[in-house]
Amino acid sequence: WSQIGVKVLECSVAMGVKYIASPLIFTLLMYKSGLQPDGSCAVNIDSGSRPQFDAITYMTINTTYLLAILCNPEDDFQCMLVPVLTLGRYSKLPFNNYVFLSSSLREFWGGRYNLLVSSLLRQAVFTPAKKKGYSNSISSLMAFAASGALHMLVAHYTFGYGMIRTMGFFLLQPLIISLEMYIESRYPWLKAKCPPFARCILTMSVFCLTCPLYVGLFTEAMPEFLVNCNRDVKLPTWAVVCSDWIGKAVFGMAVHPLILAGVDAPLKAKTE
């Protein structure tokens, strides 16, 4: 029962934080991509045009979209509910395991991000390749290549382009991991000198720098992508007001007056 209680407390806190963070992140994402909560856009999406983002805005939207993916309170609720209903006999594999605590890309991909797909690739690709006599590096490369192939289908059917850059993103990850392992073996004192929080910041920074290869596909499809995927989203008033303040204070974004007029209105495809 103590383990169940700890799990319930952990999931409850995570769920509460994500419940608050998710609409804030989503609203900021709309502000940066030129989309307003009432569905109106700064560009005519029917004409096929889209905003031209500068480099900083482009990276900000990429990172914000990544945060939106990580904020999934429903997953925490399911992880809390399963052990309670089964009296601790079963547990649900979470989608993520606090990815921001990753001190290396190897830890990020192997034990914290998208645990379901990571587990499947380990069982279906990495472990069989190891049994065939391949090294850890080659087995890891094969697993990332398989993941890249799956995501190439996503790029093809969702956007109609970007298959090569998608595969490039996933093939780049094992190369960076190999570089990490080489540096750790060549300069072991670096790990001892570098505090854990600094390694976490460095890991997430390196990962975010590679994100435009794949996550950039979603950014480049905005605001159409947000309109098509979130037609029935209702933004709570507090999320819009808080995001308005954050946007002005942190990003210096000029918020259109129609944003406040669209509070609590369902998001729908509409162009100016």
Side-chain angles (χ1 to χ4, degrees):
W1 284 104
S2 60
Q3 293 181 349
I4 296 177
V6 171
K7 189 65 177 179
V8 169
L9 179 61
E10 175 190 350
C11 291
S12 299
V13 173
M15 185 168 53
V17 171
K18 291 178 182 179
Y19 177 79
I20 295 174
S22 184
L24 290 176
I25 293 172
F26 180 75
T27 312
L28 286 172
L29 189 61
M30 290 199 304
Y31 288 173
K32 293 297 282 185
S33 63
L35 183 66
Q36 299 163 2
D38 66 347
S40 58
C41 307
V43 295
N44 189 336
I45 62 176
D46 290 334
S47 67
S49 63
R50 55 174 55 92
Q52 297 298 314
F53 303 124
D54 58 72
I56 295 179
T57 302
Y58 184 78
M59 288 300 298
T60 301
I61 294 179
N62 272 278
T63 305
T64 306
Y65 183 71
L66 178 63
L67 290 173
I69 296 174
L70 300 179
C71 281
N72 184 9
E74 292 82 5
D75 183 61
D76 293 297
F77 178 73
Q78 295 169 7
C79 290
M80 176 182 66
L81 195 62
V82 170
V84 171
L85 294 179
T86 62
L87 299 180
R89 292 187 179 91
Y90 298 97
S91 62
K92 178 188 176 295
L93 185 69
F95 180 73
N96 294 313
N97 181 27
Y98 305 107
V99 294
F100 54 87
L101 297 179
S102 303
S103 59
S104 67
L105 272 184
R106 179 174 52 179
E107 180 183 355
F108 177 91
W109 289 109
R112 292 195 178 275
Y113 180 71
N114 202 341
L115 298 183
L116 176 60
V117 173
S118 176
S119 177
L120 291 174
L121 290 173
R122 185 181 297 108
Q123 297 176 24
V125 182
F126 183 85
T127 300
K130 284 285 294 178
K131 291 181 178 179
K132 291 289 185 180
Y134 292 101
S135 65
N136 285 338
S137 297
I138 298 300
S139 300
S140 177
L141 181 63
M142 295 170 66
F144 274 102
S147 180
L150 293 175
H151 286 81
M152 285 177 69
L153 291 175
V154 176
H156 174 71
Y157 286 106
T158 305
F159 307 108
Y161 74 100
M163 285 74 77
I164 301 299
R165 60 188 276 190
T166 296
M167 179 59 78
F169 169 77
F170 285 94
L171 293 182
L172 181 61
Q173 304 304 314
L175 298 180
I176 299 177
I177 291 174
S178 297
L179 179 60
E180 282 181 343
M181 296 175 64
Y182 170 78
I183 294 176
E184 286 181 6
S185 61
R186 186 74 173 81
Y187 307 100
W189 53 270
L190 278 177
K191 188 173 183 179
K193 293 284 187 179
C194 187
F197 76 89
R199 295 201 302 270
C200 293
I201 293 175
L202 179 60
T203 297
M204 296 309 299
S205 298
V206 172
F207 177 71
C208 288
L209 287 175
T210 65
C211 273
L213 285 173
Y214 178 65
V215 181
L217 293 173
F218 297 85
T219 299
E220 293 158 15
M222 293 181 186
E224 300 96 319
F225 181 78
L226 286 177
V227 171
N228 293 330
C229 294
N230 301 279
R231 293 180 183 274
D232 298 322
V233 170
K234 292 184 178 180
L235 297 175
T237 302
W238 64 266
V240 174
V241 174
C242 291
S243 298
D244 181 22
W245 182 85
I246 295 173
K248 291 177 180 177
V250 180
F251 299 110
M253 294 184 293
V255 180
H256 196 284
L258 286 179
I259 286 178
L260 296 179
V263 169
D264 291 327
L267 181 64
K268 54 185 179 295
K270 184 175 67 175
T271 58
E272 289 186 333

